Amino acid sequence: RMMTPEATLALREALGQVEKPLGLLQQTQPSNDTTTALPTFAAEVVPVSEDPHPSGQWKKCVDGTPNCGLLHDLMSLEWGKFRDSFDELTAEMKQNQEE
């Protein structure tokens, strides 16, 4: 599969940071006394935030006490859907394997 031009460019930029090309195979190299160090990148230091960001507070549930019975019923329905689809897929895979 071919990479998109943007992905190819990003990969070339990332690999271009090193003095020599990186390979996935280990090759024997003539011994010499010098070593090439990989470049180091400085990460931006961000202070730790003790309080949540105000723009994310709209997601916070403050409507009162949760209805545990309703929550349990909804979760059991969702679990049942996923379990049924898993069982169907397992049966289909078993049938395909037997053919």
Side-chain angles (χ1 to χ4, degrees):
R1 221 172 146 178
M2 299 295 292
M3 289 192 293
T4 63
E6 293 85 15
T8 305
L9 181 62
L11 182 61
R12 285 185 181 163
E13 285 179 1
L15 295 178
Q17 300 289 326
V18 182
E19 291 181 19
K20 60 181 180 178
L22 296 175
L24 298 177
L25 299 175
Q26 187 175 12
Q27 300 175 351
T28 59
Q29 297 177 354
S31 64
N32 58 10
D33 296 307
T34 60
T35 58
T36 304
L38 292 176
T40 57
F41 298 98
E44 181 182 347
V45 177
V46 179
V48 175
S49 175
E50 297 295 330
D51 296 323
H53 195 274
S55 66
Q57 289 298 307
W58 66 270
K59 301 175 191 175
K60 186 176 179 181
C61 180
V62 292
D63 294 336
T65 58
N67 183 343
C68 293
L70 177 63
L71 179 62
H72 182 269
D73 290 346
L74 290 174
M75 292 304 293
S76 66
L77 287 172
E78 289 297 315
W79 171 256
K81 287 183 210 176
F82 288 116
R83 185 61 198 197
D84 290 344
S85 64
F86 174 80
D87 291 340
E88 289 173 8
L89 181 61
T90 303
E92 182 181 339
M93 290 172 61
K94 186 176 181 179
Q95 181 182 9
N96 289 341
Q97 189 177 18
E98 291 173 358
E99 291 177 355

